[in-house]
Amino acid sequence: MGLIGDTVDSIKSIQTRQLLSQAVSLGMIVTSALIIWKALMCVTGSESPVVVVLSGSMEPGFKRGDILFLHMSNAPIRAGEIVVFNVDGREIPIVHRVIKVHERQDTGEVDVLTKGDNNNGDDRLLYAQGQQWLHRHHIMGRAVGFLPYVGWVTIIMTEKPIIKYILIGALGLLVITSKD
Amino acid sequence: MHSFVYRLNGLLTFSVTILAIMCAITSLSDNLHTPSPSAEIQVMNINWFQKQPQGNDEVSLTMNISADLQTLFTWNTKQLFIFVAAEYETPKNSLNQVSLWDAIIPSKEHAKFWIHTSNKYRFVDQGNNLRGKEFNLTLHWHVMPKTGKMFADKIVLTGYSFPEEYR
């Protein structure tokens, strides 16, 4: 096939200087992606400004594979907000809705209880052993915006890593064999 | 510059950019819309009002909730999540919000409704401060769009209060 023949010819004619300059271009692309990601973290005030919905506990509003945009401000946490939180000892963040808020008079600290829209019970079963409430430091952000279906790319790449390697390999091949 | 792979790459980039712009414009179109919802909640009965063994007050009540939220729906609305929360202040807590009942309204036709229900979630205080206390019942709604920015608002209804004694 012409495509494979062209690719093989391109690989055969690689020179060192061209290879190095293409490695630098690749590095620039990766670094600018990282800069954009870090800038987003700064602007939204959240450690992960974009999360993918992994479970069906917020259906029919958020389905598996949807993307949520997060924002964390110092505004107090109020009932009804959709928050993303980490339970101590678990690394996967959970996106559920706040159903109870008790805010202290003096310190402004807050006890929060959450529940997934599609779950029957509240999240006390998900919290750490003996923990009845979430506190502000558990909460990573509030969901403010939403895009459907786009997160499937991330889910597929996480659950079938072979696809991730194929994709990166193909992109690398494309960069190396490009003539500019 | 004209190989199949380059053309595919260009096509994919262009379509993703166009899709992103369309989603952003769809979301912005929601700002042009001004809703005018209305709601009414009546507490029909305080079923019981006790102090739990751990020392926290708990109450069970039955409410009549009626609302017309049809004007909140736009072409970009997927569903409306509504809930009724009791809000009150205690000496220890400047704000307590306890969600009593929630529902998902999937379409405009279902947005005008009347329901007679007891509280779906347990109404438990942190402490035993509820006797004789006044509280607000607030109907909150969260608009979940088909794509874009989510927004929320509420109607605050005042004038409710707990009985002076446990029952």
Side-chain angles (χ1 to χ4, degrees), chain B residues 8-155:
Chain B
L8 189 64
N9 182 37
L11 186 69
L12 279 174
T13 314
F14 187 63
S15 46
V16 169
T17 313
I18 293 290
L19 268 175
I21 295 178
M22 276 168 57
C23 284
I25 296 180
T26 309
S27 183
L28 285 173
S29 75
D30 274 341
N31 292 352
L32 300 170
H33 176 84
T34 42
S36 53
S38 64
E40 216 182 78
I41 307 178
Q42 284 171 298
V43 176
M44 301 305 291
N45 187 32
I46 305 271
N47 305 331
W48 48 266
F49 179 21
Q50 288 296 319
K51 181 166 155 175
Q52 300 294 1
Q54 302 97 336
N56 296 327
D57 279 351
E58 182 173 345
V59 66
S60 163
L61 37 78
T62 306
M63 306 172 277
N64 252 354
I65 306 169
S66 66
D68 180 1
L69 303 172
Q70 289 185 321
T71 55
L72 290 170
F73 274 86
T74 70
W75 67 296
N76 188 29
T77 305
K78 180 156 70 167
Q79 68 181 36
L80 217 55
F81 181 90
I82 61 171
F83 66 100
V84 171
E87 299 177 1
Y88 59 95
E89 189 180 335
T90 59
K92 183 168 116 177
N93 292 334
S94 58
L95 174 68
N96 298 281
Q97 285 180 313
V98 181
S99 172
L100 299 177
W101 171 86
D102 55 33
I104 289 177
I105 302 183
S107 67
K108 198 166 175 171
E109 292 72 41
H110 295 98
K112 188 165 179 179
F113 65 93
W114 177 95
I115 183 169
H116 180 86
T117 177
S118 60
N119 49 315
K120 204 167 161 183
Y121 304 116
R122 298 175 62 181
F123 191 161
V124 182
D125 184 28
Q126 282 188 338
N128 54 347
N129 310 297
L130 295 186
R131 274 163 296 172
K133 183 164 281 294
E134 286 181 9
F135 62 101
N136 292 342
L137 283 177
T138 312
L139 179 69
H140 296 250
W141 58 84
H142 273 67
V143 179
M144 292 162 93
K146 295 199 175 117
T147 172
K149 184 169 179 319
M150 302 188 285
F151 51 98
D153 207 348
K154 59 188 180 185
I155 292 181

Side-chain angles (χ1 to χ4, degrees), chain A residues 89 92 113:
Chain A
I92 302 184
L113 180 63

Side-chain angles (χ1 to χ4, degrees), chain A residues 13-85:
Chain A
S13 67
I14 286 176
Q15 303 145 332
T16 310
R17 183 175 172 155
Q18 194 182 37
L19 193 66
L20 276 176
S21 84
Q22 261 146 30
V24 170
S25 313
L26 191 64
M28 295 275 282
I29 295 173
V30 170
T31 330
S32 29
L34 195 65
I35 291 177
I36 293 177
W37 183 252
K38 293 288 176 189
L40 264 180
M41 274 171 59
C42 252
V43 162
T44 64
S46 162
E47 275 173 23
S48 57
V50 181
V51 291
V52 178
V53 176
L54 295 172
S55 74
S57 58
M58 286 292 281
E59 293 202 6
F62 302 142
K63 297 191 167 41
R64 196 169 131 86
D66 294 341
I67 281 196
L68 291 176
F69 297 104
L70 307 184
H71 193 278
M72 190 63 192
S73 67
N74 283 332
I77 299 172
R78 291 287 173 253
E81 292 176 347
I82 299 175
V83 295
V84 177
F85 59 92

